[in-house]
Amino acid sequence: MSESMMSRVDSRAAGEPEAGREVTGEPVVRAPAVRADQVRRLWHLLEPLHAVLYFAPEVLGEAEALGYSAENRWASYFPLRAAPMGPVGSRAVASAFYSFQPGMVARYTDDAWRTASPEAVLAARLRGIDRTYRGLFGERLADPGLTEASALARRAAEAADLAGRPLAAANAALVWPAEPHLQLWQAATILREHRGDGHLAALLTAELDPVEALVSFAATGAVSVERFAGRGWTAEEWTAARERLRARGLVDADGVATEAGRDLRRRVEQDTDRLALTPWQALGAQDTERLAVLLGDYWVAVLASGLLPSESTLGIGQGVTGTL
């Protein structure tokens, strides 16, 4: 090692701040940081690629073949999303999913693993996504761009910090499938749950409990109250949450967000973006932007399919993250 290199190493080890130039006089070249808007853009692009799992008839057919009712999508939603965690009970699922009424979670998860094992559900969801993607993307599955996109997304997913992120960690522990399109879906799922786990941390920091998280979000007008009816909260529980928020000055008498309420939700979104940064910072700004470009056609294909609801409970298209 040269003397100049040794000098640089020694100064860093001693905790000395780096100047704008190395001791050799050469300018320091630093990679551009990933911006918050890039983090948000990648979430918007990847979320539909993951979320189609809960609406595609191919996946729902696989779940029905295991014995889950096809009459209500929640009957398959809970086992499909919770399966990576293993045969956990409803308390663990309610904790990780956060915004669902615990009694509702219990109705759909208490007997879920008697119907089929988590391993069987994991295999079924991968078969269903394989069939779904083949139907949606057709010949584009052979496009080199998809292979490149899956590799970039996987790099980001494998760089995700997993401490305190149960759903991201559970999905990250799964064996990677061989096919590029399935790797893309698994990466999208890990990254989606990584962001979601961070979002819950942001909600907790904002002192918003599960139902308050929904009420405060709907109060901003990003999503209608009716879209949250399926989360299982009673009218009395919703009203009580609204009154708690009103007492904090976050909503007015009509349940509309005050300026303080909007500021709090903005801070939640900013914290969520910040906590979701690690995988993208590891990927780098250039490759993050490249992935965004590569995902465009596949994102359009999913949205154009009509499989996803026209109004998302996540507030996609409203510039906000929302609740899971």
Side-chain angles (χ1 to χ4, degrees), residues 98 203-204 206-210 212-213 216 245 248 264-265 268:
Y98 200 71
L203 291 171
L204 288 167
E207 299 184 58
L208 294 171
D209 69 26
E212 290 169 357
S216 64
L245 295 177
R248 292 172 61 184
L264 183 65
R265 289 302 315 199
V268 167

Side-chain angles (χ1 to χ4, degrees), residues 183 225 290:
Q183 288 193 19
V225 172
R290 173 62 177 165

Side-chain angles (χ1 to χ4, degrees), residues 1-310:
M1 182 179 293
S2 69
E3 290 185 6
S4 64
M5 291 177 68
M6 284 293 293
S7 174
R8 292 197 295 274
V9 171
D10 291 343
S11 68
R12 289 172 190 149
E16 297 176 13
E18 291 186 62
R21 290 179 178 272
E22 295 282 10
V23 293
T24 58
E26 298 173 357
V28 176
V29 178
R30 293 184 175 89
V34 176
R35 305 183 311 275
D37 65 295
Q38 287 181 293
V39 175
R40 186 73 62 87
R41 181 185 180 195
L42 263 296
W43 171 67
H44 277 242
L45 289 167
L46 287 169
E47 174 65 27
L49 297 183
H50 159 79
V52 73
L53 171 75
Y54 308 116
F55 300 95
E58 295 87 349
V59 180
L60 298 180
E62 293 282 353
E64 187 176 14
L66 292 179
Y68 297 104
S69 172
E71 296 179 2
N72 187 327
R73 82 175 185 91
W74 299 119
S76 59
Y77 170 86
F78 284 100
L80 284 169
R81 190 176 174 207
M85 296 193 294
V88 295
S90 62
R91 285 190 177 183
V93 175
S95 173
F97 288 17
Y98 200 71
S99 64
F100 291 89
Q101 206 274 349
M104 175 189 178
V105 178
R107 286 197 300 276
Y108 290 111
T109 58
D110 279 348
D111 295 325
W113 312 127
R114 296 190 185 97
T115 301
S117 69
E119 293 78 13
V121 174
L122 289 171
R125 77 176 193 172
L126 205 57
R127 289 194 303 270
I129 281 294
D130 182 35
R131 292 169 53 203
T132 300
Y133 272 21
R134 290 182 185 280
L136 288 174
F137 305 146
E139 294 180 355
R140 279 178 290 189
L141 291 184
D143 191 319
L146 185 140
T147 301
E148 183 183 357
S150 69
L152 291 172
R154 178 171 176 173
R155 275 177 51 201
E158 290 181 331
D161 48 320
L162 301 176
R165 301 178 192 259
L167 283 170
N171 280 279
L174 301 177
V175 175
W176 285 92
E179 298 87 345
H181 65 286
L182 295 180
Q183 288 193 19
L184 177 60
W185 180 81
Q186 184 155 318
T189 299
I190 295 168
L191 292 164
R192 186 260 192 193
E193 298 294 17
H194 175 270
R195 183 183 179 89
D197 288 335
H199 183 59
L200 301 192
L203 291 171
L204 288 167
T205 300
E207 299 184 58
L208 294 171
D209 69 26
V211 63
E212 290 169 357
L214 300 182
V215 175
S216 64
F217 188 46
T220 67
V223 176
S224 65
V225 172
E226 290 73 22
R227 286 300 304 165
F228 290 129
R231 300 296 171 107
W233 301 100
T234 65
E236 291 77 15
E237 289 169 325
W238 189 275
T239 299
R242 187 174 64 187
E243 288 304 308
R244 293 195 297 273
L245 295 177
R246 184 183 179 189
R248 292 172 61 184
L250 300 176
V251 301
D252 63 19
D254 296 320
V256 177
T258 62
E259 191 55 41
R262 292 183 182 278
D263 284 343
L264 183 65
R265 289 302 315 199
R266 277 193 289 269
R267 291 199 298 273
V268 167
E269 311 312 334
Q270 291 166 356
D271 286 345
T272 299
D273 284 338
R274 177 174 54 80
L275 292 170
L277 181 61
T278 299
W280 306 113
Q281 202 68 285
L283 190 61
Q286 184 174 343
D287 283 344
T288 296
E289 188 61 28
R290 173 62 177 165
L291 177 58
V293 172
L294 291 169
L295 290 175
D297 287 345
Y298 302 98
W299 177 79
V300 168
V302 173
L303 294 188
S305 71
L307 292 173
L308 301 181
S310 58

